[in-house]
Amino acid sequence: MPIFPSASLRSSVVSRLRAAGCVFAEDEARILLSAAASPAGLAAMVRSRADGRPLEHVVGWAEFAGLRIAVDPGVFVPRRRSEFLAATATALTSPGAVVLDLCCGSGALGAAVAAAAAHPVELYAADIDPGAVRCARRNLAGVAAGVFEGDLFAALPADLRGRVDVLIANVPYVPTGDIGLLPPEARLHEARPALDGGADGLDVLRRVVAEAPRWLAPGGSLLFETSERQAPTALAVTGAAGLTAVEQWQEDLDATVVSATLR
């Protein structure tokens, strides 16, 4: 049961968050006030947020594509820019399409596609992080045909090979040398394997692209997010694997998505 804050309490929370450097203090205060079950709980949440924990870890959920996605401490927080990846993938689904959310994290992308598709899809998800898999199983309960734990395609049942129509792979793509430049919320509180993409940020993508043709159905597509700077190399990697790729950019979210199709 949420508490009913007075104007002075709301103002106090905003001031505390602003002093801690929270840019969107008013919005965060609203979320914290709605999530707290008691004044003591609110105080603990505000203290935790002011100490630098991600808001989503503090309240236990993130808003993504109109859904409330459970996010446990340490699990990668779904970014709003990835809503473009979800929308692009959704547009490629057809009735009964087999959709795979690889490197699924909390399962936000798979959940968004399943919710937005105009018809039922056969959804699978996988991640190497046990904590992320636990979150994904909660978020995809009743939606996914299976959520698996393991290293990329090694986690999947063999009978998925050659059947995947839409493969969403939101791989880590931050170059190792840039990890230290990330905001503390990500750098200190999210699992490093969910962020670190190797020397140029594309190590995990190369592994996915190398195996994707064996898992995609004829005409199936691999979709992934990347940065504008990395896109030319990412396109070259997909082309070398025999995939026909196109790059799309969404201005409002500053999001770059590559769609690579097996012909």
Side-chain angles (χ1 to χ4, degrees):
M1 183 71 136
I3 60 177
F4 297 95
S6 63
S8 61
L9 177 59
R10 188 184 306 274
S11 176
S12 174
V13 171
V14 170
S15 296
R16 178 80 171 88
L17 295 175
R18 190 175 289 130
C22 299
V23 176
F24 302 104
E26 291 82 1
D27 293 335
E28 294 196 10
R30 174 180 51 79
I31 292 170
L32 290 170
L33 288 162
S34 68
S38 67
L42 174 64
M45 285 182 167
V46 172
R47 184 165 55 251
S48 184
R49 178 63 184 125
D51 286 343
R53 282 186 62 199
L55 175 68
E56 295 82 2
H57 289 170
V58 173
V59 299
W61 55 269
E63 186 175 313
F64 183 81
L67 304 175
R68 183 171 287 196
I69 302 295
V71 183
D72 289 340
V75 173
F76 181 80
V77 176
R79 274 50 166 179
R80 275 211 62 222
R81 77 170 73 90
S82 297
E83 292 180 1
F84 182 50
L85 177 56
T88 305
T90 301
L92 294 178
T93 62
S94 56
V98 176
V99 178
L100 171 60
D101 183 1
L102 196 64
C103 301
C104 69
S106 62
L109 285 161
V113 171
H119 26 252
V121 299
E122 186 180 338
L123 174 66
Y124 298 86
D127 200 281
I128 196 170
D129 176 23
V133 170
R134 286 193 293 272
C135 275
R137 285 178 175 152
R138 296 207 311 273
N139 289 318
L140 299 176
V143 175
V147 179
F148 305 97
E149 180 184 333
D151 186 17
L152 300 179
F153 295 98
L156 303 174
D159 61 6
L160 263 184
R161 195 168 309 207
R163 293 184 54 227
V164 179
D165 298 300
V166 179
L167 198 174
I168 310 164
N170 197 18
V171 299
Y173 59 90
V174 179
T176 302
D178 291 349
I179 295 290
L181 305 177
L182 293 175
E185 286 93 337
R187 178 167 37 87
L188 301 178
H189 296 280
E190 294 178 323
R192 181 158 179 144
L195 303 170
D196 193 340
D200 67 352
L202 299 176
D203 283 0
V204 182
L205 176 66
R206 289 186 179 91
R207 292 180 58 207
V208 170
V209 170
E211 289 196 59
R214 291 190 286 275
W215 293 84
L216 289 171
S221 294
L222 162 67
L223 298 98
F224 58 89
E225 186 176 283
T226 189
S227 70
E228 189 175 1
R229 174 169 56 101
Q230 293 165 314
T233 304
L235 288 168
V237 168
T238 55
L243 302 172
T244 302
V246 295
E247 173 190 353
Q248 297 172 268
W249 179 65
Q250 212 282 340
E251 182 177 6
D252 290 344
L253 297 174
D254 191 21
T256 300
V257 166
V258 172
S259 304
T261 303
L262 181 65
R263 299 298 185 189

